[in-house]
Amino acid sequence: SVSFRLFLLVICISLVSVVVGLVGLRGMTQAIASFNFVNTDHLVHLRDLKIISDQYTLNIIDGTMKVRSRQMSWEDAQKRLATARQTVKEKWAAHPTDDFVGEEKKLVAKIEASFDKVNTQLDQLNTLYTEQERADLAAFTDKQLYPAVEELVEHLSEFIEAQLTEANNEFMAAEDAFELNRNLTIGLIVAGLLGGLWLASSIIRSITQP
């Protein structure tokens, strides 16, 4: 009957609207989750890794050079060293390393081993600052401190590169999910339109037939 076909038309339109809405909500939820993952687990971590690296190259190493060239006092260099070590400790602790797997976990192990090695050197550097022995400071930094820091910074750079790769992989996965949701939505809309047109034409034929 015409009334039954009208009922089917309304049901068809309603179902298509509901399914398209659900697909859209699912797509938005996936996009937000992907963005949060990239932002929290990668972008913020990358920023903190860069800060950690800068503490060694721009604060600690630069401080030793300025003390050796008499551009900075022993006391100021010692304060800068303490601040840098505290910043490194806080930034590294802000990102638990238990969730890393595979190559990233190996890099984390290398970094933490380098931390231990460098911290031993920094304890000795702090002692030299206290003793204010410029000649001993020059020999120590050239032969012991610089190589240890250079190794650590290299491991940090490798970790940063790994994080960038993971962020790019997440972006590509988000693109694939977007394309799937887009195609599914277009397919549902087309199917709904075709079904609605078919029902509408069927109703019109029923009404116009004698």
Side-chain angles (χ1 to χ4, degrees), residues 29-206:
T29 301
Q30 287 179 329
I32 292 297
S34 178
F35 174 78
N36 285 336
F37 177 74
V38 171
N39 180 65
T40 303
D41 289 10
H42 293 294
L43 296 183
V44 175
H45 197 191
L46 285 169
R47 179 203 64 191
D48 289 346
L49 288 172
K50 180 64 168 57
I51 291 173
I52 290 172
S53 181
D54 287 346
Q55 298 311 303
Y56 292 103
T57 57
L58 300 181
N59 286 335
I60 296 175
I61 297 300
D62 183 66
T64 62
M65 295 175 64
K66 287 182 177 179
V67 170
R68 291 169 62 178
S69 62
R70 302 180 189 275
Q71 296 178 355
M72 180 181 292
S73 68
W74 296 96
E75 293 79 9
D76 289 342
Q78 197 167 29
K79 290 178 182 178
R80 179 184 284 196
L81 172 62
T83 300
R85 298 184 75 175
Q86 182 62 30
T87 300
V88 168
K89 182 179 179 180
E90 291 175 355
K91 294 300 182 183
W92 185 254
H95 304 276
T97 59
D98 297 336
D99 296 334
F100 291 112
V101 295
E103 188 62 29
E104 287 188 334
K105 194 172 187 66
K106 294 179 182 177
L107 287 172
V108 166
K110 288 182 179 180
I111 291 171
E112 291 183 337
S114 292
F115 276 147
D116 293 337
K117 182 178 179 181
V118 170
N119 281 332
T120 301
Q121 305 292 335
L122 296 183
D123 289 339
Q124 191 170 346
L125 176 62
N126 187 65
T127 300
L128 290 172
Y129 281 158
T130 302
E131 295 174 351
Q132 300 186 8
E133 291 291 339
R134 208 175 304 275
D136 292 343
L137 174 65
F140 167 75
T141 53
D142 291 341
K143 296 179 180 179
Q144 294 178 246
L145 181 62
Y146 291 171
V149 170
E150 184 178 2
E151 179 185 280
L152 172 57
V153 171
E154 182 178 344
H155 291 329
L156 289 171
S157 297
E158 292 174 356
F159 196 33
I160 289 173
E161 190 64 31
Q163 291 284 289
L164 287 171
T165 300
E166 285 297 318
N168 183 64
N169 291 340
E170 183 66 22
F171 172 75
M172 293 175 66
E175 274 195 328
D176 292 339
F178 166 75
E179 290 182 4
L180 176 63
N181 288 326
R182 180 192 62 187
N183 294 336
L184 181 58
T185 300
I186 293 173
L188 288 170
I189 292 174
V190 171
L193 286 173
L194 292 176
L197 288 172
W198 180 79
L199 284 172
S201 63
S202 176
I203 293 170
I204 292 172
R205 284 197 305 269
S206 298

